Amino acid sequence: MSKKNCPICNAVVTGRTDKIFCSIKCKSIDQYEQRQQKEAFYFKVDRQLRTNRKILRKHNKAGFTTLRASTLASEGFNPKFFTHYWKNKKGEVYLFVYEYGFLKKRIHAKDKYVLVTWQDYMSTP
């Protein structure tokens, strides 16, 4: 029978064959560390969503604006982080960060974003 070591403190694990940790304390430490890693991911996503929303709100005061993609990127905007989307009748998909939306387009060989604000008619199927 081979001896197993605790992944936290490296002590020999005794008892049942499927036992992983040497004590309840080590098991608790492992669970705490896993929870911290998961929470760090959620905090990162939430931070980027808040940043994206702040940038979109800053540049979209009129409710409909076209802006160069490089302008938004230079301020920390990341288009991979969004909360939901809306598809218009033309088949274009607007990505939204809460109430502020954006659509990436190529206009005159330059990447641009069309910025919009959520409207009531967008929620009807």
mmCIF file of all heavy atoms in Angstrom, residues 27-53:
data_model
loop_
_atom_site.group_PDB
_atom_site.id
_atom_site.type_symbol
_atom_site.label_atom_id
_atom_site.label_comp_id
_atom_site.label_asym_id
_atom_site.label_seq_id
_atom_site.Cartn_x
_atom_site.Cartn_y
_atom_site.Cartn_z
ATOM 1 N N LYS A 27 -7.844 20.733 4.538
ATOM 2 C CA LYS A 27 -8.977 20.719 3.608
ATOM 3 C C LYS A 27 -9.599 22.107 3.523
ATOM 4 O O LYS A 27 -9.933 22.595 2.441
ATOM 5 C CB LYS A 27 -10.022 19.701 4.069
ATOM 6 C CG LYS A 27 -11.188 19.551 3.133
ATOM 7 C CD LYS A 27 -12.148 18.468 3.603
ATOM 8 C CE LYS A 27 -13.302 18.325 2.653
ATOM 9 N NZ LYS A 27 -14.238 17.278 3.079
ATOM 10 N N SER A 28 -9.722 22.774 4.659
ATOM 11 C CA SER A 28 -10.282 24.129 4.707
ATOM 12 C C SER A 28 -9.387 25.122 3.962
ATOM 13 O O SER A 28 -9.883 25.983 3.226
ATOM 14 C CB SER A 28 -10.462 24.554 6.159
ATOM 15 O OG SER A 28 -10.947 25.865 6.223
ATOM 16 N N ILE A 29 -8.089 24.989 4.123
ATOM 17 C CA ILE A 29 -7.143 25.869 3.417
ATOM 18 C C ILE A 29 -7.296 25.698 1.913
ATOM 19 O O ILE A 29 -7.327 26.676 1.153
ATOM 20 C CB ILE A 29 -5.692 25.583 3.869
ATOM 21 C CG1 ILE A 29 -5.480 26.064 5.300
ATOM 22 C CG2 ILE A 29 -4.687 26.227 2.922
ATOM 23 C CD1 ILE A 29 -4.169 25.611 5.926
ATOM 24 N N ASP A 30 -7.415 24.455 1.455
ATOM 25 C CA ASP A 30 -7.571 24.184 0.022
ATOM 26 C C ASP A 30 -8.866 24.799 -0.516
ATOM 27 O O ASP A 30 -8.869 25.417 -1.574
ATOM 28 C CB ASP A 30 -7.563 22.677 -0.228
ATOM 29 C CG ASP A 30 -7.650 22.352 -1.697
ATOM 30 O OD1 ASP A 30 -6.705 22.685 -2.443
ATOM 31 O OD2 ASP A 30 -8.668 21.758 -2.110
ATOM 32 N N GLN A 31 -9.961 24.624 0.204
ATOM 33 C CA GLN A 31 -11.241 25.194 -0.223
ATOM 34 C C GLN A 31 -11.176 26.717 -0.266
ATOM 35 O O GLN A 31 -11.713 27.342 -1.180
ATOM 36 C CB GLN A 31 -12.364 24.735 0.704
ATOM 37 C CG GLN A 31 -12.704 23.278 0.538
ATOM 38 C CD GLN A 31 -13.716 22.804 1.562
ATOM 39 O OE1 GLN A 31 -13.945 23.444 2.582
ATOM 40 N NE2 GLN A 31 -14.322 21.650 1.292
ATOM 41 N N TYR A 32 -10.523 27.330 0.701
ATOM 42 C CA TYR A 32 -10.379 28.784 0.745
ATOM 43 C C TYR A 32 -9.600 29.275 -0.471
ATOM 44 O O TYR A 32 -9.984 30.245 -1.125
ATOM 45 C CB TYR A 32 -9.683 29.204 2.041
ATOM 46 C CG TYR A 32 -9.397 30.679 2.118
ATOM 47 C CD1 TYR A 32 -10.413 31.580 2.424
ATOM 48 C CD2 TYR A 32 -8.128 31.181 1.868
ATOM 49 C CE1 TYR A 32 -10.161 32.937 2.489
ATOM 50 C CE2 TYR A 32 -7.865 32.532 1.927
ATOM 51 C CZ TYR A 32 -8.889 33.411 2.248
ATOM 52 O OH TYR A 32 -8.635 34.748 2.295
ATOM 53 N N GLU A 33 -8.497 28.599 -0.793
ATOM 54 C CA GLU A 33 -7.680 29.004 -1.936
ATOM 55 C C GLU A 33 -8.448 28.865 -3.253
ATOM 56 O O GLU A 33 -8.334 29.709 -4.136
ATOM 57 C CB GLU A 33 -6.384 28.190 -1.978
ATOM 58 C CG GLU A 33 -5.414 28.572 -0.881
ATOM 59 C CD GLU A 33 -4.192 27.673 -0.816
ATOM 60 O OE1 GLU A 33 -4.145 26.653 -1.537
ATOM 61 O OE2 GLU A 33 -3.283 27.983 -0.032
ATOM 62 N N GLN A 34 -9.211 27.788 -3.386
ATOM 63 C CA GLN A 34 -10.015 27.618 -4.611
ATOM 64 C C GLN A 34 -11.060 28.712 -4.732
ATOM 65 O O GLN A 34 -11.297 29.238 -5.817
ATOM 66 C CB GLN A 34 -10.686 26.245 -4.613
ATOM 67 C CG GLN A 34 -9.736 25.115 -4.876
ATOM 68 C CD GLN A 34 -10.433 23.764 -4.889
ATOM 69 O OE1 GLN A 34 -11.663 23.672 -4.829
ATOM 70 N NE2 GLN A 34 -9.648 22.710 -4.956
ATOM 71 N N ARG A 35 -11.699 29.060 -3.624
ATOM 72 C CA ARG A 35 -12.718 30.111 -3.648
ATOM 73 C C ARG A 35 -12.095 31.458 -4.010
ATOM 74 O O ARG A 35 -12.661 32.231 -4.778
ATOM 75 C CB ARG A 35 -13.433 30.187 -2.304
ATOM 76 C CG ARG A 35 -14.601 31.146 -2.302
ATOM 77 C CD ARG A 35 -15.419 31.109 -1.021
ATOM 78 N NE ARG A 35 -14.649 31.474 0.140
ATOM 79 C CZ ARG A 35 -14.396 30.665 1.174
ATOM 80 N NH1 ARG A 35 -14.847 29.430 1.187
ATOM 81 N NH2 ARG A 35 -13.687 31.080 2.203
ATOM 82 N N GLN A 36 -10.903 31.730 -3.507
ATOM 83 C CA GLN A 36 -10.219 32.986 -3.813
ATOM 84 C C GLN A 36 -9.905 33.086 -5.301
ATOM 85 O O GLN A 36 -10.026 34.146 -5.908
ATOM 86 C CB GLN A 36 -8.921 33.123 -3.006
ATOM 87 C CG GLN A 36 -9.145 33.302 -1.525
ATOM 88 C CD GLN A 36 -9.775 34.627 -1.189
ATOM 89 O OE1 GLN A 36 -10.832 34.997 -1.681
ATOM 90 N NE2 GLN A 36 -9.134 35.365 -0.315
ATOM 91 N N GLN A 37 -9.491 31.976 -5.917
ATOM 92 C CA GLN A 37 -9.183 31.978 -7.343
ATOM 93 C C GLN A 37 -10.443 32.242 -8.167
ATOM 94 O O GLN A 37 -10.417 33.003 -9.128
ATOM 95 C CB GLN A 37 -8.561 30.652 -7.763
ATOM 96 C CG GLN A 37 -7.165 30.454 -7.231
ATOM 97 C CD GLN A 37 -6.628 29.059 -7.498
ATOM 98 O OE1 GLN A 37 -7.342 28.198 -7.992
ATOM 99 N NE2 GLN A 37 -5.373 28.842 -7.151
ATOM 100 N N LYS A 38 -11.562 31.632 -7.793
ATOM 101 C CA LYS A 38 -12.823 31.853 -8.513
ATOM 102 C C LYS A 38 -13.272 33.303 -8.361
ATOM 103 O O LYS A 38 -13.700 33.931 -9.317
ATOM 104 C CB LYS A 38 -13.913 30.910 -7.993
ATOM 105 C CG LYS A 38 -13.706 29.472 -8.383
ATOM 106 C CD LYS A 38 -14.780 28.595 -7.789
ATOM 107 C CE LYS A 38 -14.513 27.140 -8.067
ATOM 108 N NZ LYS A 38 -15.466 26.253 -7.396
ATOM 109 N N GLU A 39 -13.182 33.829 -7.146
ATOM 110 C CA GLU A 39 -13.598 35.202 -6.912
ATOM 111 C C GLU A 39 -12.714 36.182 -7.668
ATOM 112 O O GLU A 39 -13.195 37.200 -8.171
ATOM 113 C CB GLU A 39 -13.598 35.512 -5.417
ATOM 114 C CG GLU A 39 -14.732 34.848 -4.673
ATOM 115 C CD GLU A 39 -14.690 35.074 -3.175
ATOM 116 O OE1 GLU A 39 -13.749 35.732 -2.679
ATOM 117 O OE2 GLU A 39 -15.594 34.579 -2.494
ATOM 118 N N ALA A 40 -11.429 35.888 -7.788
ATOM 119 C CA ALA A 40 -10.522 36.762 -8.529
ATOM 120 C C ALA A 40 -10.964 36.858 -9.989
ATOM 121 O O ALA A 40 -10.929 37.935 -10.587
ATOM 122 C CB ALA A 40 -9.090 36.243 -8.436
ATOM 123 N N PHE A 41 -11.407 35.748 -10.566
ATOM 124 C CA PHE A 41 -11.898 35.754 -11.940
ATOM 125 C C PHE A 41 -13.132 36.645 -12.064
ATOM 126 O O PHE A 41 -13.224 37.474 -12.962
ATOM 127 C CB PHE A 41 -12.234 34.330 -12.400
ATOM 128 C CG PHE A 41 -12.982 34.285 -13.693
ATOM 129 C CD1 PHE A 41 -12.325 34.509 -14.897
ATOM 130 C CD2 PHE A 41 -14.342 34.032 -13.712
ATOM 131 C CE1 PHE A 41 -13.012 34.477 -16.097
ATOM 132 C CE2 PHE A 41 -15.027 34.000 -14.909
ATOM 133 C CZ PHE A 41 -14.367 34.220 -16.101
ATOM 134 N N TYR A 42 -14.088 36.506 -11.155
ATOM 135 C CA TYR A 42 -15.306 37.315 -11.208
ATOM 136 C C TYR A 42 -15.009 38.794 -11.003
ATOM 137 O O TYR A 42 -15.622 39.647 -11.634
ATOM 138 C CB TYR A 42 -16.335 36.817 -10.187
ATOM 139 C CG TYR A 42 -16.883 35.461 -10.546
ATOM 140 C CD1 TYR A 42 -16.676 34.359 -9.730
ATOM 141 C CD2 TYR A 42 -17.586 35.268 -11.729
ATOM 142 C CE1 TYR A 42 -17.169 33.115 -10.070
ATOM 143 C CE2 TYR A 42 -18.078 34.026 -12.079
ATOM 144 C CZ TYR A 42 -17.862 32.962 -11.243
ATOM 145 O OH TYR A 42 -18.351 31.730 -11.597
ATOM 146 N N PHE A 43 -14.071 39.104 -10.129
ATOM 147 C CA PHE A 43 -13.686 40.502 -9.918
ATOM 148 C C PHE A 43 -13.058 41.084 -11.174
ATOM 149 O O PHE A 43 -13.287 42.236 -11.530
ATOM 150 C CB PHE A 43 -12.731 40.642 -8.735
ATOM 151 C CG PHE A 43 -13.389 40.443 -7.396
ATOM 152 C CD1 PHE A 43 -12.758 39.705 -6.413
ATOM 153 C CD2 PHE A 43 -14.629 40.986 -7.115
ATOM 154 C CE1 PHE A 43 -13.360 39.519 -5.177
ATOM 155 C CE2 PHE A 43 -15.239 40.815 -5.892
ATOM 156 C CZ PHE A 43 -14.606 40.072 -4.917
ATOM 157 N N LYS A 44 -12.248 40.286 -11.873
ATOM 158 C CA LYS A 44 -11.611 40.746 -13.113
ATOM 159 C C LYS A 44 -12.670 41.051 -14.175
ATOM 160 O O LYS A 44 -12.621 42.092 -14.831
ATOM 161 C CB LYS A 44 -10.655 39.672 -13.628
ATOM 162 C CG LYS A 44 -10.006 40.011 -14.937
ATOM 163 C CD LYS A 44 -9.162 38.864 -15.446
ATOM 164 C CE LYS A 44 -8.668 39.180 -16.848
ATOM 165 N NZ LYS A 44 -8.021 38.042 -17.487
ATOM 166 N N VAL A 45 -13.646 40.155 -14.323
ATOM 167 C CA VAL A 45 -14.720 40.366 -15.300
ATOM 168 C C VAL A 45 -15.532 41.596 -14.941
ATOM 169 O O VAL A 45 -15.808 42.453 -15.795
ATOM 170 C CB VAL A 45 -15.621 39.115 -15.398
ATOM 171 C CG1 VAL A 45 -16.866 39.394 -16.229
ATOM 172 C CG2 VAL A 45 -14.843 37.946 -15.997
ATOM 173 N N ASP A 46 -15.909 41.711 -13.672
ATOM 174 C CA ASP A 46 -16.702 42.855 -13.231
ATOM 175 C C ASP A 46 -15.943 44.165 -13.435
ATOM 176 O O ASP A 46 -16.518 45.160 -13.883
ATOM 177 C CB ASP A 46 -17.089 42.695 -11.764
ATOM 178 C CG ASP A 46 -18.024 43.785 -11.297
ATOM 179 O OD1 ASP A 46 -19.062 44.001 -11.964
ATOM 180 O OD2 ASP A 46 -17.716 44.436 -10.280
ATOM 181 N N ARG A 47 -14.658 44.175 -13.141
ATOM 182 C CA ARG A 47 -13.842 45.387 -13.321
ATOM 183 C C ARG A 47 -13.806 45.800 -14.789
ATOM 184 O O ARG A 47 -13.964 46.977 -15.117
ATOM 185 C CB ARG A 47 -12.426 45.126 -12.804
ATOM 186 C CG ARG A 47 -11.574 46.357 -12.706
ATOM 187 C CD ARG A 47 -10.183 46.088 -12.108
ATOM 188 N NE ARG A 47 -10.161 45.089 -11.067
ATOM 189 C CZ ARG A 47 -9.546 43.893 -11.181
ATOM 190 N NH1 ARG A 47 -8.898 43.567 -12.258
ATOM 191 N NH2 ARG A 47 -9.572 43.029 -10.184
ATOM 192 N N GLN A 48 -13.638 44.832 -15.707
ATOM 193 C CA GLN A 48 -13.587 45.162 -17.126
ATOM 194 C C GLN A 48 -14.954 45.623 -17.632
ATOM 195 O O GLN A 48 -15.038 46.547 -18.437
ATOM 196 C CB GLN A 48 -13.104 43.960 -17.950
ATOM 197 C CG GLN A 48 -12.889 44.290 -19.410
ATOM 198 C CD GLN A 48 -11.834 45.364 -19.639
ATOM 199 O OE1 GLN A 48 -10.718 45.253 -19.161
ATOM 200 N NE2 GLN A 48 -12.194 46.412 -20.347
ATOM 201 N N LEU A 49 -16.041 45.017 -17.159
ATOM 202 C CA LEU A 49 -17.379 45.467 -17.558
ATOM 203 C C LEU A 49 -17.624 46.904 -17.102
ATOM 204 O O LEU A 49 -18.161 47.717 -17.863
ATOM 205 C CB LEU A 49 -18.456 44.548 -16.984
ATOM 206 C CG LEU A 49 -18.621 43.197 -17.657
ATOM 207 C CD1 LEU A 49 -19.578 42.323 -16.862
ATOM 208 C CD2 LEU A 49 -19.099 43.354 -19.089
ATOM 209 N N ARG A 50 -17.221 47.222 -15.878
ATOM 210 C CA ARG A 50 -17.392 48.590 -15.384
ATOM 211 C C ARG A 50 -16.554 49.574 -16.197
ATOM 212 O O ARG A 50 -17.006 50.670 -16.524
ATOM 213 C CB ARG A 50 -17.061 48.689 -13.899
ATOM 214 C CG ARG A 50 -18.173 48.121 -13.027
ATOM 215 C CD ARG A 50 -17.945 48.362 -11.556
ATOM 216 N NE ARG A 50 -16.986 47.375 -11.062
ATOM 217 C CZ ARG A 50 -15.894 47.673 -10.365
ATOM 218 N NH1 ARG A 50 -15.617 48.904 -10.045
ATOM 219 N NH2 ARG A 50 -15.080 46.732 -9.968
ATOM 220 N N THR A 51 -15.332 49.170 -16.560
ATOM 221 C CA THR A 51 -14.469 50.020 -17.384
ATOM 222 C C THR A 51 -15.096 50.240 -18.754
ATOM 223 O O THR A 51 -15.158 51.377 -19.238
ATOM 224 C CB THR A 51 -13.070 49.376 -17.542
ATOM 225 O OG1 THR A 51 -12.488 49.220 -16.244
ATOM 226 C CG2 THR A 51 -12.164 50.224 -18.409
ATOM 227 N N ASN A 52 -15.560 49.166 -19.386
ATOM 228 C CA ASN A 52 -16.204 49.289 -20.699
ATOM 229 C C ASN A 52 -17.415 50.210 -20.639
ATOM 230 O O ASN A 52 -17.601 51.060 -21.505
ATOM 231 C CB ASN A 52 -16.616 47.917 -21.223
ATOM 232 C CG ASN A 52 -15.461 47.108 -21.772
ATOM 233 O OD1 ASN A 52 -14.330 47.573 -21.803
ATOM 234 N ND2 ASN A 52 -15.749 45.899 -22.192
ATOM 235 N N ARG A 53 -18.253 50.051 -19.625
ATOM 236 C CA ARG A 53 -19.456 50.877 -19.493
ATOM 237 C C ARG A 53 -19.088 52.355 -19.334
ATOM 238 O O ARG A 53 -19.677 53.229 -19.959
ATOM 239 C CB ARG A 53 -20.295 50.427 -18.311
ATOM 240 C CG ARG A 53 -21.587 51.222 -18.174
ATOM 241 C CD ARG A 53 -22.386 50.741 -16.968
ATOM 242 N NE ARG A 53 -23.623 51.481 -16.877
ATOM 243 C CZ ARG A 53 -23.746 52.656 -16.272
ATOM 244 N NH1 ARG A 53 -22.708 53.235 -15.708
ATOM 245 N NH2 ARG A 53 -24.920 53.265 -16.233
#
